[in-house]
């Protein structure tokens, strides 16, 4: 079943899934992008927590409505830390000479 569903998702993504099959799967509430769905679910819980508590300094072991919110946030922070950082660009004046403001 898992392989078949993965194949249906692939066909849908490439635009080759028959429209009748697409509609039939959508009537069953198919999740076309499980990774995005998981992220959206975590974001929904994080948003609710932030609205209630005013921050996202969530303990790692915190669960909200059965969702491991603290672990999810820790994972998101780790992923963000692992992203490549863009190289700093020098400030350029109208003359094209790189300077820093106030110098």
């Amino acid at each position: 079943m898992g392989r078949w569903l993965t194949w249906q998702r692939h066909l849908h993504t490439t635009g080759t899934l028959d429209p009748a099959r697409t509609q039939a799967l959508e009537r069953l509430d198919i999740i076309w992008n499980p990774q995005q769905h998981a992220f959206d679910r975590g974001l929904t819980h994080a948003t609710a927590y932030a609205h209630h508590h005013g921050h996202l300094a969530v303990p790692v072991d915190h669960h909200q409505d059965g969702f491991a919110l603290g672990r999810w946030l820790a994972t998101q922070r780790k992923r963000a830390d692992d992203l490549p950082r863009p190289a700093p660009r020098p400030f350029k004046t109208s003359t094209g000479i790189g300077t820093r403001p106030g110098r």
Side-chain angles (χ1 to χ4, degrees):
M1 179 70 164
R3 286 183 183 181
W4 178 83
L5 191 51
T6 298
W7 182 246
Q8 301 313 301
R9 287 180 176 130
H10 168 75
L11 293 174
H12 180 263
T13 301
T14 59
T16 56
L17 184 62
D18 180 82
R21 288 186 180 198
T22 299
Q23 290 175 359
L25 289 167
E26 287 178 347
R27 282 193 299 272
L28 296 173
D29 293 325
I30 186 172
I31 297 168
W32 290 116
N33 186 331
Q35 292 84 6
Q36 185 65 49
H37 179 76
F39 179 83
D40 291 345
R41 183 174 176 230
L43 188 60
T44 297
H45 285 286
T47 301
Y49 185 96
H51 282 303
H52 183 73
H53 297 279
H55 63 80
L56 281 176
V58 181
V60 174
D61 62 348
H62 179 77
H63 285 71
Q64 181 169 314
D65 299 327
F67 182 80
L69 179 60
R71 173 59 44 210
W72 183 83
L73 284 168
T75 300
Q76 301 315 305
R77 289 183 182 112
K78 174 71 173 118
R79 288 178 178 168
D81 287 344
D82 291 344
L83 291 174
R85 301 284 181 227
R89 297 187 310 200
F91 175 76
K92 294 198 179 200
T93 65
S94 60
T95 61
I97 300 171
T99 62
R100 296 183 138 226
R103 294 194 182 212

